[in-house]
Amino acid sequence: MHFEAKKMFGGFVFMVDEKMCMGVMKDQIMARINPDIYEESLEKEGCRSMDFTKKRMKGFVYLSDEAIDLDENLNYWLQLALDFNPLAKASKKRKSSKN
């Protein structure tokens, strides 16, 4: 498994195998989870839809302090993101304008 941090969305996103997995934006954590459990996850305390583009992004959630206040809670969300990562599609690579 290869991971790296990239500046994105006004924060840092942690990429696992070249796919967004989790990130830190201002005072929230972002997690990319399986869209099949997305609606169910939104019912958990401190979890809300990621709406960075003013549109709900199914499979992406923001986590407030209440969602990750204990190590076991943070580990829960991290594991969901890591479990989904092998199934996630990688973003299309942009062609560089540099020649």
Side-chain angles (χ1 to χ4, degrees), residues 14-30:
F14 297 94
M15 307 289 283
V16 175
D17 295 330
E18 299 185 21
K19 296 177 267 185
M20 251 192 286
C21 189
M22 291 193 82
V24 179
M25 286 85 173
K26 296 184 183 178
D27 60 348
Q28 334 184 69
I29 301 288
M30 179 277 299

Side-chain angles (χ1 to χ4, degrees), residues 9 26 48-57 62:
F9 303 124
K26 296 184 183 178
R48 69 179 182 87
S49 177
M50 182 176 166
D51 55 1
F52 185 78
T53 61
K54 306 291 185 231
K55 189 175 174 185
R56 285 175 54 160
M57 298 174 68
Y62 281 137

Side-chain angles (χ1 to χ4, degrees):
M1 175 179 350
H2 170 75
F3 71 94
E4 65 180 313
K6 288 188 173 187
K7 284 187 176 185
M8 241 185 226
F9 303 124
F12 283 94
V13 172
F14 297 94
M15 307 289 283
V16 175
D17 295 330
E18 299 185 21
K19 296 177 267 185
M20 251 192 286
C21 189
M22 291 193 82
V24 179
M25 286 85 173
K26 296 184 183 178
D27 60 348
Q28 334 184 69
I29 301 288
M30 179 277 299
R32 184 179 188 186
I33 61 173
N34 192 321
D36 293 343
I37 62 167
Y38 174 75
E39 294 296 332
E40 172 187 332
S41 296
L42 293 176
E43 296 174 13
K44 296 194 178 289
E45 184 179 11
C47 179
R48 69 179 182 87
S49 177
M50 182 176 166
D51 55 1
F52 185 78
T53 61
K54 306 291 185 231
K55 189 175 174 185
R56 285 175 54 160
M57 298 174 68
K58 191 170 183 179
F60 291 84
V61 294
Y62 281 137
L63 306 168
S64 70
D65 291 344
E66 293 80 23
I68 56 169
D69 62 349
L70 301 173
D71 285 349
E72 65 189 53
N73 295 346
L74 178 58
N75 288 335
Y76 169 80
W77 292 105
L78 177 58
Q79 193 60 57
L80 285 182
L82 289 171
D83 287 348
F84 178 62
N85 187 263
L87 306 173
K89 291 183 181 178
S91 298
K92 293 179 182 176
K93 300 256 186 220
R94 294 184 180 178
K95 292 182 181 178
S96 176
S97 59
K98 298 177 185 175
N99 288 334

